[in-house]
């Protein structure tokens, strides 16, 4: 673990990304976190001297290039990249506007591609590295009313598999973690949406979400972070091209 020195966690100011950033920093790495809004990033960075906040919009190639330049000049090349930034959208296919479709793919799929692309050559040259995509169980199966999100996360899994194949002869591993519902600000918005669309109260909406997990509960961000930490460990050096479902058994 300690042989890696500098990690990038996109969307590291909140939710799953925050838990991953704090875990990586806890293991001794310097961690650059980014998002569009500086406030949550600075709040996380202010509590840990190894965490460094920068704004970046992962859908914008120039913004990602500027992030790489600033962060790598300060702390060296990234040897761990966690492509975590994402948005959740919901609508039946027939009511999915082109704008919603394009925005979901822009952040979740193109954003993940732009996040990892600049690191490919430097990681190969450095003789090691870890790339982890935070996909979703929606990257492994379909579900109603989330077609754009599902398509974007299936795309992330495809990107991961191709990259793992390209990098198979190098010591760089590429994997995707696929959680079910996790207790984060994204889930809060999902629950608010269920309440608005169905008129249910919050507890009933939460229970409905938890029932989708065979263990009957909502997953904690740290559980996702723990899987990422293992993928970044030396013990996981032979694990590449894999999807790891963190779902309480949902498949
Ligand atoms: P979250 O708290 O809403 O985190 C999403 C993060 O992405 C935010 O910090 C957000 O920061 C950042 N982000 C969004 N658009 C961005 C952009 N264009 N450029 C840069 N950063 C951007 O939700 P979360 O649950 O932790 O989500 C993290 C990842 O886990 C996502 O990819 C999500 O799809 C995946 N996931 C979540 C769940 C769940 O139930 N929560 C389940 C499966 C998978 P700004 O808004 O400041 O940019």
């Amino acid at each position: 673990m300690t042989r890696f020195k500098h990690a990038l966690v996109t969307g590291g100011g909140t939710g799953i990304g925050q838990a991953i950033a704090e875990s990586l920093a806890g293991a001794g790495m310097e961690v650059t976190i980014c998002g569009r809004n500086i406030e949550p990033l600075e709040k996380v960075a202010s509590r840990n001297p190894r965490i460094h906040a920068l704004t970046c919009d992962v859908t914008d190639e120039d913004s990602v290039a500027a992030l790489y330049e600033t962060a790598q000049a300060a702390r060296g090349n990234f040897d761990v990249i966690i492509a975590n930034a994402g948005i959740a959208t919901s609508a039946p296919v027939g009511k999915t506007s082109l704008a919603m479709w394009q925005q979901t793919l822009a952040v979740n799929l193109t954003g993940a591609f732009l996040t990892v692309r600049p690191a490919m050559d430097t990681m190969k040259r450095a003789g090691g590295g870890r790339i982890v995509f935070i996909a979703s169980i929606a990257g492994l199966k379909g579900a109603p009313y989330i077609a754009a999100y599902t398509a974007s996360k299936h795309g992330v899994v495809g990107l991961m598999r191709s990259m793992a194949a390209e990098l198979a002869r190098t010591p760089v591993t590429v994997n995707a973690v696929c959680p079910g519902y996790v207790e984060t600000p994204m889930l809060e918005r999902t629950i608010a949406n269920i309440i608005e669309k169905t008129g249910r109260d919050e507890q009933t909406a939460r229970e409905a979400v938890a029932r989708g997990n065979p263990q009957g509960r909502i997953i904690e961000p740290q559980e996702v972070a723990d899987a990422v930490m293992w993928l970044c460990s030396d013990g996981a050096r032979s694990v590449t091209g894999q999807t790891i479902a963190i779902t309480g058994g949902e498949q």
Side-chain angles (χ1 to χ4, degrees):
M1 188 66 215
T2 45
R3 80 192 176 88
F4 297 124
K5 294 190 172 69
H6 189 192
L8 169 63
V9 183
T10 64
T14 61
I16 293 169
Q18 178 183 347
I20 295 169
E22 288 172 345
S23 293
L24 290 167
M29 297 187 66
E30 298 298 320
V31 184
T32 298
I33 56 172
C34 73
R36 291 162 303 172
N37 301 295
I38 193 67
E39 295 82 13
L41 298 165
E42 281 185 338
K43 206 166 152 197
V44 172
S46 70
R47 291 199 299 263
N48 191 319
R50 288 208 177 94
I51 300 183
H52 313 277
L54 284 174
T55 53
C56 172
D57 182 340
V58 295
T59 66
D60 177 344
E61 191 175 17
D62 292 341
S63 180
V64 176
L67 167 86
Y68 265 77
E69 202 178 316
T70 307
Q72 295 196 146
R75 290 174 286 282
N77 288 347
F78 293 125
D79 38 25
V80 171
I81 307 264
I82 315 296
N84 164 79
I87 56 168
T89 51
S90 167
V93 176
K95 292 194 170 147
T96 298
S97 67
L98 180 59
M100 179 193 279
W101 176 266
Q102 286 177 332
Q103 176 66 3
T104 310
L105 266 76
V107 179
N108 294 357
L109 179 53
T110 308
F113 162 70
L114 291 175
T115 296
V116 300
R117 187 181 56 173
M120 298 278 286
D121 287 341
T122 48
M123 273 193 189
K124 267 194 286 190
R125 276 202 305 274
R130 296 285 190 268
I131 295 172
V132 182
F133 294 96
I134 308 305
S136 167
I137 183 67
L140 302 175
K141 70 173 198 183
Y145 314 129
I146 52 168
Y149 185 76
T150 302
S152 72
K153 294 298 190 179
H154 272 69
V156 166
V157 169
L159 169 64
M160 177 279 290
R161 288 184 174 138
S162 270
M163 285 178 59
E166 268 185 41
L167 292 169
R169 291 179 182 280
T170 78
V172 180
T173 70
V174 191
N175 293 286
V177 171
C178 299
Y181 281 116
V182 184
E183 193 68 71
T184 71
M186 181 181 281
L187 182 70
E188 289 305 317
R189 292 189 292 274
T190 299
I191 285 171
N193 195 30
I194 294 172
I195 293 169
E196 190 195 313
K197 296 243 163 79
T198 65
R200 292 176 190 167
D201 62 35
E202 183 175 343
Q203 195 187 334
T204 316
R206 283 187 158 271
E207 282 166 4
V209 165
R211 269 198 305 277
N213 176 330
Q215 293 180 343
R217 65 187 190 85
I218 295 171
I219 296 154
E220 291 299 325
Q222 190 60 46
E223 297 177 68
V224 182
D226 289 348
V228 170
M229 293 304 288
W230 174 69
L231 286 170
C232 291
S233 72
D234 206 40
R237 64 191 176 280
S238 298
V239 178
T240 190
Q242 304 304 307
T243 54
I244 300 187
I246 302 178
T247 59
E250 184 187 357
Q251 29 192 322

mmCIF file of all heavy atoms in Angstrom, residues 9-13 33-38 41 54-58 67 85:
data_model
loop_
_atom_site.group_PDB
_atom_site.id
_atom_site.type_symbol
_atom_site.label_atom_id
_atom_site.label_comp_id
_atom_site.label_asym_id
_atom_site.label_seq_id
_atom_site.Cartn_x
_atom_site.Cartn_y
_atom_site.Cartn_z
ATOM 1 N N VAL A 9 -8.819 11.349 -6.267
ATOM 2 C CA VAL A 9 -10.195 10.870 -6.045
ATOM 3 C C VAL A 9 -11.141 11.934 -6.569
ATOM 4 O O VAL A 9 -11.271 13.011 -5.959
ATOM 5 C CB VAL A 9 -10.482 10.593 -4.549
ATOM 6 C CG1 VAL A 9 -11.898 10.020 -4.396
ATOM 7 C CG2 VAL A 9 -9.452 9.647 -3.944
ATOM 8 N N THR A 10 -11.792 11.673 -7.698
ATOM 9 C CA THR A 10 -12.760 12.657 -8.201
ATOM 10 C C THR A 10 -14.040 12.546 -7.381
ATOM 11 O O THR A 10 -14.421 11.458 -6.940
ATOM 12 C CB THR A 10 -13.056 12.437 -9.701
ATOM 13 O OG1 THR A 10 -13.683 11.158 -9.872
ATOM 14 C CG2 THR A 10 -11.793 12.519 -10.539
ATOM 15 N N GLY A 11 -14.679 13.685 -7.155
ATOM 16 C CA GLY A 11 -15.860 13.677 -6.285
ATOM 17 C C GLY A 11 -15.496 13.336 -4.854
ATOM 18 O O GLY A 11 -16.303 12.777 -4.106
ATOM 19 N N GLY A 12 -14.282 13.707 -4.441
ATOM 20 C CA GLY A 12 -13.773 13.307 -3.122
ATOM 21 C C GLY A 12 -14.237 14.179 -1.962
ATOM 22 O O GLY A 12 -13.824 13.964 -0.828
ATOM 23 N N GLY A 13 -15.100 15.158 -2.226
ATOM 24 C CA GLY A 13 -15.555 16.051 -1.152
ATOM 25 C C GLY A 13 -16.783 15.553 -0.424
ATOM 26 O O GLY A 13 -17.174 16.131 0.611
ATOM 27 N N ILE A 33 -8.212 15.634 -4.059
ATOM 28 C CA ILE A 33 -9.646 15.429 -4.286
ATOM 29 C C ILE A 33 -10.164 16.572 -5.148
ATOM 30 O O ILE A 33 -9.649 17.695 -5.083
ATOM 31 C CB ILE A 33 -10.442 15.352 -2.958
ATOM 32 C CG1 ILE A 33 -10.223 16.604 -2.085
ATOM 33 C CG2 ILE A 33 -10.082 14.088 -2.194
ATOM 34 C CD1 ILE A 33 -11.135 16.652 -0.849
ATOM 35 N N CYS A 34 -11.162 16.278 -5.967
ATOM 36 C CA CYS A 34 -11.712 17.343 -6.815
ATOM 37 C C CYS A 34 -13.212 17.186 -6.967
ATOM 38 O O CYS A 34 -13.784 16.131 -6.714
ATOM 39 C CB CYS A 34 -11.044 17.335 -8.188
ATOM 40 S SG CYS A 34 -11.572 15.972 -9.231
ATOM 41 N N GLY A 35 -13.817 18.281 -7.378
ATOM 42 C CA GLY A 35 -15.243 18.354 -7.663
ATOM 43 C C GLY A 35 -15.479 19.741 -8.244
ATOM 44 O O GLY A 35 -14.529 20.513 -8.415
ATOM 45 N N ARG A 36 -16.742 20.057 -8.525
ATOM 46 C CA ARG A 36 -17.003 21.403 -9.092
ATOM 47 C C ARG A 36 -17.077 22.459 -8.003
ATOM 48 O O ARG A 36 -16.749 23.610 -8.233
ATOM 49 C CB ARG A 36 -18.304 21.374 -9.897
ATOM 50 C CG ARG A 36 -18.214 20.555 -11.173
ATOM 51 C CD ARG A 36 -19.577 20.201 -11.674
ATOM 52 N NE ARG A 36 -20.335 19.479 -10.645
ATOM 53 C CZ ARG A 36 -21.614 19.160 -10.717
ATOM 54 N NH1 ARG A 36 -22.306 19.490 -11.791
ATOM 55 N NH2 ARG A 36 -22.218 18.507 -9.734
ATOM 56 N N ASN A 37 -17.520 22.084 -6.805
ATOM 57 C CA ASN A 37 -17.699 23.057 -5.712
ATOM 58 C C ASN A 37 -16.562 22.936 -4.713
ATOM 59 O O ASN A 37 -16.285 21.842 -4.202
ATOM 60 C CB ASN A 37 -19.035 22.796 -5.004
ATOM 61 C CG ASN A 37 -20.199 22.906 -5.965
ATOM 62 O OD1 ASN A 37 -20.478 23.973 -6.495
ATOM 63 N ND2 ASN A 37 -20.862 21.782 -6.227
ATOM 64 N N ILE A 38 -15.942 24.065 -4.401
ATOM 65 C CA ILE A 38 -14.752 24.025 -3.550
ATOM 66 C C ILE A 38 -15.095 23.814 -2.064
ATOM 67 O O ILE A 38 -14.310 23.198 -1.338
ATOM 68 C CB ILE A 38 -13.886 25.307 -3.737
ATOM 69 C CG1 ILE A 38 -12.503 25.143 -3.100
ATOM 70 C CG2 ILE A 38 -14.596 26.543 -3.222
ATOM 71 C CD1 ILE A 38 -11.611 24.143 -3.739
ATOM 72 N N LEU A 41 -14.951 20.262 -0.610
ATOM 73 C CA LEU A 41 -13.582 19.752 -0.776
ATOM 74 C C LEU A 41 -12.681 20.346 0.304
ATOM 75 O O LEU A 41 -11.889 19.630 0.938
ATOM 76 C CB LEU A 41 -13.050 20.140 -2.158
ATOM 77 C CG LEU A 41 -13.813 19.568 -3.367
ATOM 78 C CD1 LEU A 41 -13.430 20.312 -4.641
ATOM 79 C CD2 LEU A 41 -13.545 18.075 -3.522
ATOM 80 N N LEU A 54 -8.920 20.611 -4.991
ATOM 81 C CA LEU A 54 -8.845 21.398 -6.226
ATOM 82 C C LEU A 54 -10.190 21.313 -6.927
ATOM 83 O O LEU A 54 -10.807 20.235 -6.934
ATOM 84 C CB LEU A 54 -7.778 20.824 -7.170
ATOM 85 C CG LEU A 54 -6.307 21.082 -6.854
ATOM 86 C CD1 LEU A 54 -5.429 20.304 -7.844
ATOM 87 C CD2 LEU A 54 -5.980 22.567 -6.928
ATOM 88 N N THR A 55 -10.636 22.402 -7.537
ATOM 89 C CA THR A 55 -11.860 22.294 -8.322
ATOM 90 C C THR A 55 -11.531 21.722 -9.695
ATOM 91 O O THR A 55 -10.464 21.975 -10.260
ATOM 92 C CB THR A 55 -12.561 23.662 -8.509
ATOM 93 O OG1 THR A 55 -11.617 24.582 -9.027
ATOM 94 C CG2 THR A 55 -13.146 24.168 -7.216
ATOM 95 N N CYS A 56 -12.461 20.949 -10.218
ATOM 96 C CA CYS A 56 -12.315 20.380 -11.566
ATOM 97 C C CYS A 56 -13.682 19.855 -11.993
ATOM 98 O O CYS A 56 -14.391 19.251 -11.200
ATOM 99 C CB CYS A 56 -11.307 19.232 -11.525
ATOM 100 S SG CYS A 56 -11.201 18.299 -13.070
ATOM 101 N N ASP A 57 -14.021 20.123 -13.246
ATOM 102 C CA ASP A 57 -15.225 19.528 -13.836
ATOM 103 C C ASP A 57 -14.755 18.393 -14.734
ATOM 104 O O ASP A 57 -14.093 18.631 -15.754
ATOM 105 C CB ASP A 57 -15.988 20.588 -14.636
ATOM 106 C CG ASP A 57 -17.281 20.033 -15.227
ATOM 107 O OD1 ASP A 57 -17.409 18.794 -15.350
ATOM 108 O OD2 ASP A 57 -18.152 20.848 -15.568
ATOM 109 N N VAL A 58 -15.082 17.159 -14.373
ATOM 110 C CA VAL A 58 -14.532 16.008 -15.109
ATOM 111 C C VAL A 58 -15.070 15.895 -16.535
ATOM 112 O O VAL A 58 -14.545 15.125 -17.337
ATOM 113 C CB VAL A 58 -14.749 14.658 -14.361
ATOM 114 C CG1 VAL A 58 -13.981 14.633 -13.051
ATOM 115 C CG2 VAL A 58 -16.231 14.361 -14.161
ATOM 116 N N LEU A 67 -6.069 20.241 -13.690
ATOM 117 C CA LEU A 67 -5.984 19.504 -12.416
ATOM 118 C C LEU A 67 -4.712 18.653 -12.374
ATOM 119 O O LEU A 67 -3.960 18.683 -11.391
ATOM 120 C CB LEU A 67 -7.215 18.595 -12.262
ATOM 121 C CG LEU A 67 -7.109 17.556 -11.143
ATOM 122 C CD1 LEU A 67 -7.544 18.153 -9.821
ATOM 123 C CD2 LEU A 67 -7.906 16.308 -11.442
ATOM 124 N N ALA A 85 -16.459 10.452 -9.379
ATOM 125 C CA ALA A 85 -17.463 11.513 -9.591
ATOM 126 C C ALA A 85 -18.619 10.967 -10.417
ATOM 127 O O ALA A 85 -18.419 10.239 -11.394
ATOM 128 C CB ALA A 85 -16.835 12.703 -10.301
#
